[in-house]
Amino acid sequence: MKNFKFLTLTAAVAMLGFGASAALAHDHPDHDAQHYSYELTNAEGAVIGSVMLKEAKTGVLITIDAEGMSAGSTHAVHIHETGKCSPDFTAAGGHFNPSGHEHGMMHGEGQHAGDMPNLHASADGTVKQEILNTMITLEDADTEDGRHTIHDADGSALIIHEGADDYTSQPTGAAGGRLACAVLAEPKE
């Protein structure tokens, strides 16, 4: 009876291990074109979290899991127009804005395709938040329903800012400096 339990436990561990390997492989862009996972780094180059993208019927579901924020702080998060983070995150350029709109979800002539709701850090400085961006796609080209690909020629990056987005000020919502970055799509150039 003990041997049977051991074999069952061994089989279960082996199956869990296989499942974990399959899940990690599934997160890698080369294995599933509709499910991406990226490292989020701070200005010192340390990994402080991850960004996961999943294509949905009406946009892209973005899951941000990060640490190292100030307790209870609020931070703007945007998709930026260039898929570069170094040297100080300025290489990511401005907000992803292929339609040429003004900045801000509360602006009468807004919003950029890269504008999203603010992130809210918990008391321990961590962030775990999901955002559905209905203006972008992970497809290789813009969609018929008007969503823009973040896999364009110069790629794209996700930036977390030091402050909150006020959703109206130009050109960035008075969000302050750049705190963290993740390259979402490398430039094709």
Side-chain angles (χ1 to χ4, degrees), residues 26 29 37 42 47 66 68 85 96 99-100 119 127 129 132-133 140-141 148 151 163 174 187:
H26 183 69
S37 184
N42 65 16
V47 175
C85 287
F96 181 63
S99 297
L119 300 176
V127 171
Q129 192 164 328
L132 179 64
N133 185 321
D140 290 333
H148 301 281
H151 293 267

Side-chain angles (χ1 to χ4, degrees), residues 4-86:
F4 179 72
K5 286 182 184 177
F6 179 76
L7 290 174
T8 303
L9 180 59
T10 302
V13 170
M15 288 172 56
L16 286 173
F18 175 75
S21 297
L24 290 174
H26 183 69
D27 286 347
H28 193 277
D30 294 337
H31 294 280
D32 185 348
Q34 301 304 313
H35 184 175
Y36 296 80
S37 184
Y38 302 97
E39 290 183 340
L40 183 64
T41 59
N42 65 16
E44 290 77 38
V47 175
I48 62 163
S50 65
V51 177
M52 188 173 4
L53 307 179
K54 291 182 185 178
E55 186 78 26
K57 185 175 182 179
T58 59
V60 175
L61 182 63
I62 302 168
T63 303
I64 300 168
D65 191 352
E67 60 185 19
M69 309 293 164
S70 297
S73 58
T74 302
H75 301 273
V77 59
H78 306 113
I79 295 174
H80 283 244
E81 64 189 349
T82 305
K84 296 179 181 177
C85 287
S86 58

Side-chain angles (χ1 to χ4, degrees), residues 166-178:
D166 67 11
Y167 301 133
T168 57
S169 297
Q170 302 304 309
T172 63
R178 299 175 184 201

